């Protein structure tokens, strides 16, 4: 039931990465964004598989852009977050916010 | 390599082929391209290329197997298979046990065949080594040894030999420095034998020139006599009375000739001997074929016949690869056992197939559920193959355990085998077993799947539906017939080999072996003349004083030994007819009473004796009297060194089945003034207790007597029939296993059929057929399968039997009574195995056919 499921951690990060890259939300910039935010290396396969899975769930959509020489004559996908995707992001955030109420002191950095 | 920004075309093609098709793979390839960008400039072209191909392949694998990794899925298959087997322990135990028996017996027999027949000999370039044999076409004898003079003739004149050397083997008394004596087998060799073989001593050095008093000892003698003491080199020993110095120890595993304990060179004088007892070994020169050397050897043999007509008349020569020479006695036995074990393996495979067939049927619904849930054919296949491999691995492990036990049993049961010390479960056997197990596992995994995955899940899931297709019924029927055909052949073969064994044990040797003992009078005192007569009299008195001893006699040979002094014989004054070989006979010295002690019947006249005026009273055997010369009593016989008159004719002695009696002349031993080598002692009853006492008394009388070769005749005869007993026992074990396994297999298939056809049968019953009619219907079908299988088996047994008959004396494979017996036993076992599950049919409820389906 996609309408009520919470996002997985990696799905969450990838959706945010797509939003952050706006019109430039191709796989490579999204991966770089997630790597910067998490400060760790992200496997290409994991990213592509997650994008495929979220497409199946209806959380993201893509459009194909024409091939360029820099890409060896291969097309590329530009991703957008769907309405369902946005809703899932909001729901996950709300749940997480609720979950940390009263724990701010413990969770504050340096405590 | 690659220009900046562009990976090489082949790399792009490779990744394109491995990535998913369509935009999914296309865009990933584009991304990789983009990332590749200036990488060659920054990191170098090689690193860039490795990165491109490596990253692309990793992404391909991750995208192609999206859910889990390959290893993870194999792990899941493994867990699934193990859980499934744990849930059905009876099934797992049956399959593992059956496979273990098949693989284990195959491995045990393979290790024997491998050690004896397949492994190269431990010589340099062993395939170049041949043995030269003399043959006597007129008498049909093809395996005669050569004469000493032949060594030089063949070494010098056969151009196709890079080298050749000869040796002879004889037992000798070896006495060490401490005075301890034992009888060992000594090989006397011409110079250069070890160069021809390509063998250097493991310790010390080789033999020096001819006639030098140096000795090489075998690894076996070094271990048993000297405890592998390296200081053995330089020790003085005596062979009979001659002193020798041990100069070297030969390497372990030098099994040619298998029984030699020590080696010395032939003296120049010994090379002049004219005995025919030389083994001649040659090494083929590079680029020379066996056929070329065979021609040259035949030419030399012709030359020898004209140079030395007396010793070489009618003699030809031929060559045989050394390896074939060594294994010729055991080859047919081992090949027969290999065939038997292969048949047993086939039965185990057929049996396992039927067990898996029933398992497959039971799990049809489980499979259908998985298909309905989206499992692909590939996934089902992977699961089944994993299960097959698990079963095969367990079966292989059980087989290894059984092979270890089986090999020990085989070697303890087996007669002395050539190259026995290299027989063992080693890496080669392990690899063969692993190969057989893997292949079996794959077959097991793939077999039950045929014609089943395409079943529509809905059909399989519907309740009460008949689960057996016509095709599967036919294949099960074939399995029944095949198993019974093989089992029939195997059981008939076993009976044939057993009849060969029985024939050899019941063989009439021409004397009474029971209650008889032969004692080798191997004394270093070596009395001669009157002293010898006194010595023998003393020994005879000691023996006769032992309770239970009936009589004693002395002889130059023991009765089972056919070899002896063989001389040309002239009857009367007549020279042999022109163009014919002079007749010859084996010559033996016997004391008065020896032949009577043995129980050889005296057919005419009396025992050999000194006649009047020193003339010899000779006794001939029946074979000599009847077939050779039509000798009459009173006829004069002229041998090269004595003359005598025939005073008696005794029965023939045949050492073993198939070994015809030789023409034999017995002369009185007391005329020669030396101790005859053997004493025969006849006991009233079981000789074992009295025999031990006799040995003790003789030891007290002459402490130098070596009594280790003395034994009762029954013990000796047990050794002579050891090969037949070995074959009979092993083939009986295989036949019993075949009988058991095929009965279990038929039972399994009958049970499966009953389970498959419950619904058909309930319909028949609902339509009015009686339970009895249904049972008869199914039973008839099985009886036909059993009969057809056994029919094929009987034909196979008759055809295979002809081969066995030609290989083993006394085997009676085509005996109709034996075949009828085999058919009765197997048929009863098979039909009982069918009948038991059929009784379940009687209880089939006709209402089952009404159930939904």
């Amino acid at each position: 039931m996609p309408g009520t499921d919470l996002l997985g951690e990696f799905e969450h990060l990838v959706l945010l990465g797509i939003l952050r890259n706006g019109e430039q939300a191709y796989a490579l910039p999204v991966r770089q964004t997630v790597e910067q935010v998490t400060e760790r290396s992200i496997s290409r396969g994991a990213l592509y598989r997650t994008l495929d899975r979220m497409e199946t769930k209806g959380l993201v959509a893509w459009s194909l852009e024409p091939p360029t020489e820099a890409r060896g004559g291969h097309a590329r996908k530009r991703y957008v977050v769907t309405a369902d995707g946005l809703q899932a992001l909001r729901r996950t955030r709300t749940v997480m916010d609720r979950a940390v109420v009263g724990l701010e002191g413990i969770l504050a950095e340096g405590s | 390599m690659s220009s900046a920004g562009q990976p090489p075309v082949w790399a792009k093609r490779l990744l394109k082929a491995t990535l998913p098709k369509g935009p999914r793979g296309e865009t990933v390839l584009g991304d990789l391209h983009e990332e590749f960008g200036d990488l060659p400039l920054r990191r170098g072209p090689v690193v860039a290329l490795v990165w491109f191909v490596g990253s692309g392949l990793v992404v391909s694998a991750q995208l192609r197997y999206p859910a889990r990794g390959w290893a993870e899925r194999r792990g899941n298959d493994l867990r699934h298979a193990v859980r499934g087997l744990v849930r059905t322990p009876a099934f797992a135990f049956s399959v593992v046990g059956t496979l273990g028996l098949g693989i284990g017996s195959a491995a045990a027999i393979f290790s024997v065949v491998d050690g004896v027949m397949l492994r190269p000999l431990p010589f340099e370039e062993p395939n170049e080594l041949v043995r030269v044999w003399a043959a006597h076409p007129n008498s049909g004898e093809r395996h005669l040894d050569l004469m000493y003079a032949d060594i030089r003739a063949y070494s010098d004149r056969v151009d196709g030999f890079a080298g050749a050397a000869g040796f002879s083997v004889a037992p000798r008394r070896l006495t060490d420095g401490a005075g301890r004596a034992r009888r060992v087998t000594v090989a006397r060799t011409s110079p250069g034998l070890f160069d021809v073989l390509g063998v250097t001593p493991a310790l010390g050095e080789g033999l020096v020139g001819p006639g030098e008093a140096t000795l090489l000892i075998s690894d076996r003698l070094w271990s048993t006599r000297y405890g592998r003491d390296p200081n053995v080199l330089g020790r003085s020993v005596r062979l009979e009375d001659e002193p020798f110095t041990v100069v070297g120890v030969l390497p372990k595993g030098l099994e040619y000739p298998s029984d030699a304990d020590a080696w010395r060179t032939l003296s120049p004088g010994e090379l002049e001997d004219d005995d025919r007892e030389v083994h001649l070994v040659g090494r083929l020169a590079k680029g020379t074929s066996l056929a070329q050397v065979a021609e040259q050897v035949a030419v030399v043999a012709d030359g020898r016949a004209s140079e030395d007509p007396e010793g070489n008349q009618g003699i030809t020569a031929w060559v045989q690869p050394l390896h074939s020479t060594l294994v010729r006695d055991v080859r047919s036995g081992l090949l027969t056992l290999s065939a038997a074990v292969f048949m047993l393996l086939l039965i185990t495979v057929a049996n396992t197939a039927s067990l898996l067939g029933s398992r497959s049927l039971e799990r049809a619904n489980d499979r259908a559920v998985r298909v309905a849930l989206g499992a692909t054919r590939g996934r089902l296949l992977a699961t089944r193959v994993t299960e097959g491999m698990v079963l095969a691995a367990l079966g292989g492990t059980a087989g290894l355990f059984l092979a270890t036990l089986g090999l020990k049993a085989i070697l303890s049961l087996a007669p002395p085998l050539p190259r026995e010390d290299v027989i063992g479960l080693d890496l080669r056997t392990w690899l063969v077993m692993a190969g057989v197990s893997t292949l079996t596992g794959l077959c097991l995994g793939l077999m039950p799947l045929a014609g089943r995955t395409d079943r529509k899940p809905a059909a399989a899931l519907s309740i009460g539906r008949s689960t057996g297709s016509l095709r599967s019924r036919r294949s099960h029927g074939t399995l029944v017939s095949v198993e019974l055909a093989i089992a029939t052949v195997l059981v008939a073969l076993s009976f044939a080999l057993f009849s060969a064994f029985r024939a050899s044990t019941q063989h009439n040797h021409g004397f009474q072996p029971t209650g008889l003992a032969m004692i080798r009078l191997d004394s270093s005192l070596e009395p001669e003349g009157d002293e010898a007569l006194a010595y023998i009299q003393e020994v005879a008195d000691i023996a006769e004083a032992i309770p239970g001893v009936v009589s004693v006699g002395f002889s130059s040979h023991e009765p089972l030994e056919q070899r002896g002094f063989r001389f040309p014989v002239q009857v009367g004054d007549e020279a042999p007819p022109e163009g014919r070989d002079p007749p010859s006979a084996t010559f033996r010295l016997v004391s008065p009473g020896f032949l009577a002690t043995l129980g050889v019947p005296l057919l005419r006249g009396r025992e050999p004796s000194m006649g009047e005026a020193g003339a010899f009273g000779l006794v001939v055997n029946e074979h000599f009297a009847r077939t050779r010369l039509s000798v009459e009593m009173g006829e004069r016989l002229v041998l090269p060194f004595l003359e005598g008159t025939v005073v008696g004719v005794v029965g023939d002695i045949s050492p073993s089945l198939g070994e015809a009696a030789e023409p034999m002349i017995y002369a009185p031993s007391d005329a020669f003034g030396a101790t005859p080598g053997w004493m025969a002692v006849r006991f009233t009853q079981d000789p074992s207790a009295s025999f031990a006492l006799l040995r003790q008394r003789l030891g007290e009388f002459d402490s130098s007597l070596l009594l280790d070769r003395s034994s009762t005749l029954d013990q000796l005869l047990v050794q002579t029939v050891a090969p037949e007993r070995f074959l009979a026992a092993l083939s009986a074990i295989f036949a019993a296993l075949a009988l058991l396994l095929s009965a279990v297999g038929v039972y399994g298939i009958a049970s499966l059929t009953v389970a498959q056809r419950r619904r058909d049968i309930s319909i028949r019953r609902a339509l009015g057929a009686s339970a009895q009619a249904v049972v008869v219907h199914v039973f008839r079908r099985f009886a036909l399968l059993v009969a057809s299988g056994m029919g094929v088996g009987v034909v196979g047994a008759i055809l295979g039997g002809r081969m066995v008959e030609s290989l083993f004396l006394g085997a009676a494979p085509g005996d109709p009574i034996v075949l009828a017996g085999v058919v009765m036993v197997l048929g009863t076992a098979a039909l009982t195995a069918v009948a038991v599950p059929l009784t379940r049919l009687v209880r089939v409820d006709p209402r089952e056919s009404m159930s939904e389906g």
Side-chain angles (χ1 to χ4, degrees), chain B residues 653-691:
Chain B
I653 292 177
S654 161
S656 66
L657 190 67
E659 227 178 318
E662 297 266 322
M664 192 88 72
I665 298 175
Y666 298 100
S669 62
D670 45 4
F672 284 82
T675 45
W678 294 88
M679 173 166 69
V681 184
R682 165 74 57 194
F683 295 88
T684 45
Q685 58 216 359
D686 174 24
S688 43
S690 311
F691 184 56

Side-chain angles (χ1 to χ4, degrees), chain B residues 121-139:
Chain B
L121 297 172
F123 305 130
E124 201 179 300
E125 300 290 333
N127 293 334
E128 291 174 359
L129 293 171
V130 295
R131 174 153 180 199
V132 180
W133 289 101
H136 190 253
N138 286 354
S139 64

Side-chain angles (χ1 to χ4, degrees), chain B residues 393-594:
Chain B
L394 291 173
T397 311
L400 178 70
F401 177 68
L402 289 173
T404 313
L405 291 181
L407 188 62
K408 271 189 192 154
I410 287 172
L411 290 181
S412 66
L413 204 64
L417 292 165
R419 318 183 65 203
E420 195 167 316
D421 55 337
V422 294
I423 296 171
L425 288 169
D426 61 358
L427 188 66
R428 286 160 68 99
T429 318
W430 278 81
L431 287 177
V432 171
M433 280 175 75
V436 169
S437 301
T438 310
L439 204 65
T440 315
L442 279 176
C443 291
L444 296 184
L446 298 175
M447 205 160 35
L449 200 65
R452 288 187 184 279
T453 40
D454 49 355
R455 285 173 62 91
K456 289 190 172 63
L461 285 171
S462 61
I463 301 159
R465 191 107 182 177
S466 164
T467 36
S469 68
L470 186 63
R471 188 169 151 186
S472 75
R473 281 214 296 275
R474 275 194 193 138
S475 67
H476 289 146
T478 313
L479 279 181
V480 168
S481 299
V482 167
E483 279 201 46
L484 281 163
I486 300 171
T488 308
V489 174
L490 204 46
V491 175
L493 182 79
S494 162
F495 268 104
L497 290 173
F498 182 74
S499 60
F501 169 58
R502 202 180 46 185
S504 12
T505 53
Q506 291 178 346
H507 173 62
N508 181 4
H509 296 275
F511 63 94
Q512 293 295 326
T514 305
L516 186 65
M518 290 302 295
I519 290 161
R520 172 101 175 112
L521 295 177
D522 193 355
S523 166
S524 61
L525 297 179
E526 296 191 353
E528 287 184 9
D530 290 344
E531 281 181 18
L533 293 178
Y535 183 90
I536 285 176
Q537 191 56 52
E538 191 105 18
V539 169
D541 289 346
I542 290 169
E544 279 166 351
I546 304 284
V549 169
V550 179
S551 64
V552 296
F554 298 88
S555 166
S556 53
H557 293 81
E558 58 118 338
L560 294 176
E561 192 182 357
Q562 275 289 42
R563 290 183 177 213
F565 316 121
R566 195 171 174 121
F567 299 106
V569 186
Q570 187 181 318
V571 180
D573 297 325
E574 290 173 26
E578 195 64 36
R580 284 187 57 182
D581 299 338
S584 63
T586 303
F587 180 77
R588 293 210 170 155
L589 297 171
V590 294
S591 72
F594 174 77

Side-chain angles (χ1 to χ4, degrees), chain B residues 711-725:
Chain B
S711 63
T712 64
L713 257 288
D714 282 336
Q715 287 170 336
L716 276 179
L717 289 175
V718 164
Q719 287 167 22
T720 57
V721 299
E724 287 84 0
R725 193 187 54 210

